[in-house]
Amino acid sequence: MALHFERSEFDARRDRLMIELAEKKLDAVLLFAQESMYWLTGYDTFGFCFFQCLVVKADGSMTLLTRSADLRQARHTSIIDNIVLWTDRDGANPAIDLRNLLNELDLLGARIGVEYDTHGLTAYNGRRLDEQLQTFGQIADASGIVGRLRLFKSPVEVAKVEKAAGLADDALDAALPLIKQGGDEGAILAAMQGAIFAGGGDYPANEFIIGSGTDALLCRYKAGRRKLNKNDQLTLEWAGVFHHYHAPMMRTILTGKVSKRHQELFDASHAALLAVEKVLAPGNTFGDVFDAQARTLETYGLTKHRLNACGYSVGARFAPSWMDTPMFYQGNPEPIAPNMTLFAHMIIMDSETETAMTLGRTYLTTESQPKPLSRHDLDLIVQ
């Protein structure tokens, strides 16, 4: 079987979930997020683009409802023993199949949690699910249960993220020789992703971000490539990925001469990231981390050029995004605790002068100060 953890690790995760179900007085939970299924059982697929559900009862027993295309996938990549298929056919409504399965599992009239907040349950399927369950039992929103359990990484999970961080460093090393006048964005992307694949890594949960010239001010991937000029700016956001565990990094790299504005923005982003590191420790909250960044950039007069969030939790994620919760934004009360893997990024985009600057890396929280997982320093990179 293609399992990336020992059975004891999965058993410990199941036990943690059972405690949560007992505390919330839930007889079962319906999981639709692929990362929840992967974390709990090892099940690895992109089949969540269709209707599928992992039913977990309070006693820890699990049953997967999925399509025929994922039957062997589930058998080969997970610890799930009970797999039920719904059939592709004209007019199929797998929510009915799920209701019938819940009835067979003796859950009629039970208190059932549903993981609504996920791309694995579209609004269309969510409405069909509610129609079938509205008179079946007591339905509660259980969206955050597994997500919060995943926030705290076990030692073997930390090892996965550390491996991913090494691959992220390898990707940057592969890119740097190509970042020069005439350098092609496509070749840079190919080198970065190739380094990760060659190192045993995986596809990321979302596309790498790459943009030069005015496109360096974008925070999302877009189609289209260009070649670098003599004096140019290139924004990169990428992640090393190992067994779906992500370790993102972010840099704006310059070619040629460093403009006065670029230096100003780099100095501000560097100071802001160092300020974040000082509060990225137990005793502070995710909101405190954002405030540290915001206060620093305010002293540089850059409030209007920053974003309203400056990072987030990372771990094992599936498309369409490697971003996990919680995030660093104003007022977020979630406490910083040891054994979290967190990506902090400084993104300053000055549209008035068309100048970009970014700086970011992944950290492991400890009992005190955070541990950066990249071997690269935070110096401005000029090619």
Side-chain angles (χ1 to χ4, degrees):
M1 295 176 67
L3 294 174
H4 304 304
F5 298 99
E6 297 294 330
R7 183 60 187 253
S8 58
E9 174 76 8
F10 290 117
D11 290 344
R13 297 174 186 180
R14 179 205 60 207
D15 292 346
R16 289 170 62 193
L17 178 57
M18 289 171 63
I19 291 171
E20 289 294 316
L21 296 182
E23 289 181 351
K24 292 175 172 55
K25 297 180 171 56
L26 292 173
D27 298 303
V29 64
L30 309 184
L31 300 180
F32 290 92
Q34 185 59 46
E35 49 267 21
S36 295
M37 301 184 202
Y38 179 76
W39 179 82
L40 193 61
T41 72
Y43 180 38
D44 189 352
T45 182
F46 63 76
F48 63 91
C49 57
F50 298 97
F51 188 101
Q52 65 174 7
C53 178
L54 181 65
V55 182
V56 184
K57 296 182 66 174
D59 62 6
S61 61
M62 295 180 285
T63 304
L64 175 68
L65 176 67
T66 189
R67 301 168 63 245
S68 59
D70 279 298
L71 173 62
R72 292 162 189 82
Q73 195 86 7
R75 286 176 176 169
H76 187 62
T77 67
S78 81
I79 62 171
I80 303 170
D81 292 322
N82 301 317
I83 304 170
V84 177
L85 303 181
W86 65 270
T87 303
D88 297 281
R89 61 190 181 278
D90 184 45
N93 183 354
I96 296 176
D97 296 84
L98 179 56
R99 183 196 64 193
N100 292 337
L101 173 60
L102 297 176
N103 190 54
E104 293 173 6
L105 293 173
D106 198 27
L107 288 169
L108 180 62
R111 179 170 166 79
I112 302 172
V114 179
E115 195 175 45
Y116 284 108
D117 188 13
T118 170
H119 295 90
L121 182 64
T122 64
Y124 175 72
N125 281 329
R127 292 183 65 178
R128 295 205 291 180
L129 177 69
D130 288 343
E131 289 172 358
Q132 295 302 319
L133 298 186
Q134 60 184 344
T135 61
F136 185 87
Q138 304 174 55
I139 307 304
D141 188 346
S143 297
I145 292 180
V146 177
R148 193 160 197 287
L149 293 176
R150 293 192 304 104
L151 174 60
F152 306 95
K153 306 301 189 293
S154 68
V156 287
E157 287 183 290
V158 170
K160 302 287 189 189
V161 180
E162 289 176 334
K163 171 66 174 178
L167 294 174
D169 285 331
D170 293 345
L172 179 57
D173 290 339
L176 289 177
L178 304 177
I179 301 176
K180 57 187 178 181
Q181 181 179 2
D184 188 286
E185 290 180 355
I188 294 168
L189 274 180
M192 296 180 76
Q193 189 66 80
I196 292 171
F197 286 151
D202 301 302
Y203 285 107
N206 59 255
E207 302 93 333
F208 290 177
I209 294 166
I210 184 168
S212 58
T214 56
D215 290 344
L217 279 72
L218 302 180
C219 298
R220 297 286 184 264
Y221 172 87
K222 72 167 191 63
R225 303 283 178 265
R226 71 182 288 271
K227 294 185 178 181
L228 303 180
N229 295 325
K230 181 178 180 180
N231 295 299
D232 216 329
Q233 55 184 355
L234 175 71
T235 293
L236 296 170
E237 184 179 16
W238 72 102
V241 191
F242 185 70
H243 294 168
H244 293 293
Y245 284 81
H246 290 70
M249 293 178 68
M250 195 169 194
R251 291 286 192 279
T252 297
I253 300 170
L254 307 179
T255 62
K257 297 180 179 179
V258 180
S259 70
K260 178 182 177 181
R261 189 54 170 164
H262 274 124
Q263 189 65 57
E264 291 172 348
L265 298 189
F266 173 78
D267 291 343
S269 62
H270 186 264
L273 189 55
L274 293 182
V276 160
E277 290 183 2
K278 291 181 179 179
V279 297
L280 201 61
N284 299 307
T285 68
F286 276 66
D288 292 332
V289 172
F290 174 82
D291 292 343
Q293 177 243 198
R295 283 194 304 268
T296 303
L297 295 186
E298 184 178 12
T299 65
Y300 284 83
L302 295 172
T303 299
K304 69 177 181 179
H305 300 302
R306 66 163 171 81
L307 303 184
N308 293 321
C310 66
Y312 41 82
S313 176
V314 290
R317 285 282 286 181
F318 289 74
S321 175
W322 68 54
M323 292 185 289
D324 217 336
T325 57
M327 301 185 75
F328 300 130
Y329 53 71
Q330 184 177 12
N332 189 339
E334 180 68 41
I336 301 293
N339 302 316
M340 295 177 174
T341 49
L342 307 174
F343 174 51
H345 60 63
M346 304 299 111
I347 300 177
I348 308 173
M349 302 301 185
D350 183 353
S351 295
E352 296 169 3
T353 62
E354 295 187 337
T355 308
M357 186 53 62
T358 64
L359 188 63
R361 60 184 178 182
T362 300
Y363 298 86
L364 171 67
T365 58
T366 69
E367 297 288 349
S368 55
Q369 291 303 300
K371 174 187 175 183
L373 296 184
S374 172
R375 63 175 178 261
H376 284 271
D377 58 35
L378 296 177
D379 293 344
L380 177 62
I381 302 176
V382 184
Q383 297 289 92

